[in-house]
Amino acid sequence: MRNRMIAGNWKMNKTYTEGVELAEGLASELQDGTGSVDVVVCPPAVDLKGVAEVIEQKKAPFALGAQNVYWEESGAYTGETAPDMLTNVGATYCIIGHSERRGYFGETDEDINRKAKALMKHGIVPISCCGESLEVREAGKHVEFVVDQIKKDTEGLEITDPSKYVIAYEPIWAIGTGKTATADDAQEVCGAIRKTLAEIFGQEIADGIRVLYGGSAKPNNVAGFLEKEDVDGALVGGASLKADSFAAMVKAAM
Ligand code: PEP
């Protein structure tokens, strides 16, 4: 019912030249296709066009995603990127609400909700991130915290095609630390996310929305997460920066 998804978040890594090289390497690793797994790569904004060209020239089996967007259409918003600009360079997905943007750049759930609406208006699929800090986890309030984020981030969204909205559960304490949540930890929260989505949008829509896990996911542990009922894939940081390790994760999901 839900195609698995493996999405790579390159973060602020890879110059334009390096990004093109990585995309070419990935196209070659995945030349036999990805089966029913949807693969997305999310390079820095200045690399998007170069990666789009690689995808087109090599007929690469992955889609292009951005790492951020602003909700206005155009105008005096120095440094920002409008949804239309992403579409124009071939991006069909966009990460929003990553914990690094929430933490370093002060993004709020209200901002994330506005970004989701702007993206969906332009036909770009949001990959909307949520997740708790170590402090919240240790206080045993992680489920409640994430459910609250989901309610705020999805407020007023109209989801008619559930394949066009993706959630990534990324416990902050597991991102880039090498410390992974267990597959059961991921299932506990991803299951609660789906239950919340069912309350908001109805069971049928909730059953079609992909919920990914992210946080030190690697080729050697991704299969364990994917076995869980409500984990539909992975959002991958560090391990997406090398074509062979990212391709290995895609293959583990096939
Ligand atoms: C991320 O930041 O989205 C992420 C999951 O990073 P890492 O895989 O490096 O923990």
Side-chain angles (χ1 to χ4, degrees), residues 158-170:
E158 282 177 31
I159 303 179
T160 46
D161 177 351
S163 70
K164 304 286 187 227
Y165 185 77
V166 178
I167 290 178
Y169 166 58
E170 301 204 306

Side-chain angles (χ1 to χ4, degrees), residues 32-47:
D32 294 332
T34 63
S36 61
V37 179
D38 291 336
V39 180
V40 184
V41 297
C42 304
V46 294
D47 298 2

Side-chain angles (χ1 to χ4, degrees), residues 9 11 98 100 170 174-178 214-218 235-239:
N9 174 12
K11 308 194 183 187
H98 193 280
E100 287 149 16
E170 301 204 306
I175 296 180
T177 57
S216 300
K218 304 270 181 275
L235 179 57
V236 185

Side-chain angles (χ1 to χ4, degrees), residues 55-191:
I55 294 173
E56 198 185 328
Q57 283 157 15
K58 309 267 180 199
K59 304 207 178 330
F62 48 85
L64 185 65
Q67 296 176 16
N68 189 27
V69 69
Y70 195 55
W71 54 78
E72 294 290 351
E73 296 288 329
S74 64
Y77 303 101
T78 302
E80 295 296 327
T81 308
D84 194 29
M85 297 170 179
L86 299 181
T87 313
N88 193 251
V89 292
T92 48
Y93 290 84
C94 182
I95 297 171
I96 52 173
H98 193 280
S99 60
E100 287 149 16
R101 294 218 55 90
R102 291 177 188 257
Y104 299 138
F105 304 102
E107 276 188 18
T108 64
D109 288 305
E110 194 191 13
D111 296 337
I112 291 150
N113 178 257
R114 292 175 88 170
K115 289 181 180 198
K117 286 177 179 153
L119 289 170
M120 291 166 85
K121 188 171 157 205
H122 287 268
I124 303 173
V125 179
I127 301 177
S128 188
C129 303
C130 56
E132 80 286 355
S133 64
L134 187 58
E135 198 185 354
V136 170
R137 160 86 35 181
E138 284 176 344
K141 301 221 182 283
H142 48 287
V143 171
E144 188 183 317
F145 181 88
V146 172
V147 163
D148 184 58
Q149 284 183 319
I150 297 293
K151 287 183 180 161
K152 290 176 176 155
D153 297 348
T154 60
E155 202 181 315
L157 295 189
E158 282 177 31
I159 303 179
T160 46
D161 177 351
S163 70
K164 304 286 187 227
Y165 185 77
V166 178
I167 290 178
Y169 166 58
E170 301 204 306
I172 299 169
W173 47 272
I175 296 180
T177 57
K179 197 171 171 182
T180 38
T182 65
D184 286 335
D185 290 336
Q187 170 57 31
E188 181 193 24
V189 181
C190 293

Side-chain angles (χ1 to χ4, degrees), residues 234-246:
L235 179 57
V236 185
S240 72
L241 296 174
K242 288 211 166 103
D244 56 354
S245 60
F246 190 61

